[in-house]
Amino acid sequence: MPFFWVPEDTIAQRVRRDHVPYDVWEKKGLVKTTEGNVIDYAFVEKFIDDLGGVYNIREVAYDPWNAENTRQRLEAKGFTMVPFRQGMPTFNSPTKELMRLVLEKKLAHGGHQVLRWMTDNVYVKTDESGNIRPDKAKSTEKIDGAVALIMALDRTLKNEGGGSGKVYDGRDLLIL
């Protein structure tokens, strides 16, 4: 169940500049808009809080760079916030696991057009030791949804199964 946001005032400009159908996606409900010309993080935080009333959200993984205010506000609402640094050591294992799930056709994503577009944009960087991570700088377009998917998978792997098997051995993988 991926969720994406775009500033309402910039949709038309982004469609023209990026040649990406944000306007169509917004009409289909695949992206949500926030008022103004920048993402309204208070809106996103409320959205997450509202989701917490519907789903049992155990943790929220976040990139600690420039996210301190959001971390504090969500933590104050009772969410467990887990930093996920955007480097090779943290991305390697869940990125490899995501690749395995995709190749084995074990990832149910519902054909979400925006998530599919973002995953198609991902360039995977490999170091000399064979470690991998998505590389935003070399990717063709936005990849935020793919990065969030990898972060969510990391938290799922670390929280369920207790190290003895994986949660999706007995059922399909579910990711928020």
Side-chain angles (χ1 to χ4, degrees):
M1 293 178 16
F3 300 100
F4 303 99
W5 296 271
V6 66
E8 186 173 40
D9 293 351
T10 67
I11 288 180
Q13 173 192 2
R14 289 168 183 260
V15 169
R16 284 190 308 275
R17 180 190 68 208
D18 304 338
H19 306 288
V20 175
Y22 293 107
D23 55 343
V24 174
W25 290 342
E26 191 266 334
K27 286 178 183 139
K28 289 182 174 181
L30 299 172
V31 297
K32 301 189 180 313
T33 58
T34 65
E35 289 184 10
N37 61 1
V38 295
I39 294 294
D40 178 354
Y41 289 101
F43 178 89
V44 175
E45 291 162 14
K46 181 179 181 331
F47 187 88
I48 292 169
D49 191 33
D50 291 346
L51 276 180
V54 177
Y55 299 100
N56 178 22
I57 299 175
R58 291 188 182 175
E59 296 178 345
V60 176
Y62 70 97
D63 176 0
W65 187 84
N66 209 21
E68 186 58 22
N69 291 333
T70 296
R71 181 201 62 81
Q72 288 176 1
R73 286 190 292 268
L74 287 175
E75 216 167 57
K77 292 178 185 271
F79 290 96
T80 300
M81 303 298 292
V82 180
F84 188 100
R85 302 219 178 270
Q86 304 295 292
M88 194 69 77
T90 49
F91 270 112
N92 180 55
S93 182
T95 303
K96 286 181 177 177
E97 186 64 15
L98 179 60
M99 289 174 67
R100 185 186 74 76
L101 289 170
V102 169
L103 291 171
E104 292 180 3
K105 298 182 181 185
K106 289 188 174 181
L107 180 68
H109 55 75
H112 195 284
Q113 291 174 321
V114 180
L115 182 59
R116 182 182 300 273
W117 173 71
M118 288 185 180
T119 56
D120 285 346
N121 293 332
V122 174
Y123 173 86
V124 176
K125 182 175 183 171
T126 305
D127 70 11
E128 60 279 351
S129 299
N131 298 306
I132 64 172
R133 71 170 175 83
D135 187 341
K136 192 169 191 167
K138 291 189 178 180
S139 296
T140 57
E141 291 278 354
K142 294 198 175 295
I143 65 168
D144 305 82
V147 170
L149 175 61
I150 293 166
M151 293 167 66
L153 178 58
D154 177 74
R155 300 315 310 155
T156 300
L157 294 170
K158 289 182 175 161
N159 280 302
E160 294 189 19
S164 58
K166 295 181 174 64
V167 64
Y168 45 80
D169 286 342
R171 65 169 167 83
D172 287 336
L173 178 64
L174 302 175
I175 296 176
L176 276 181

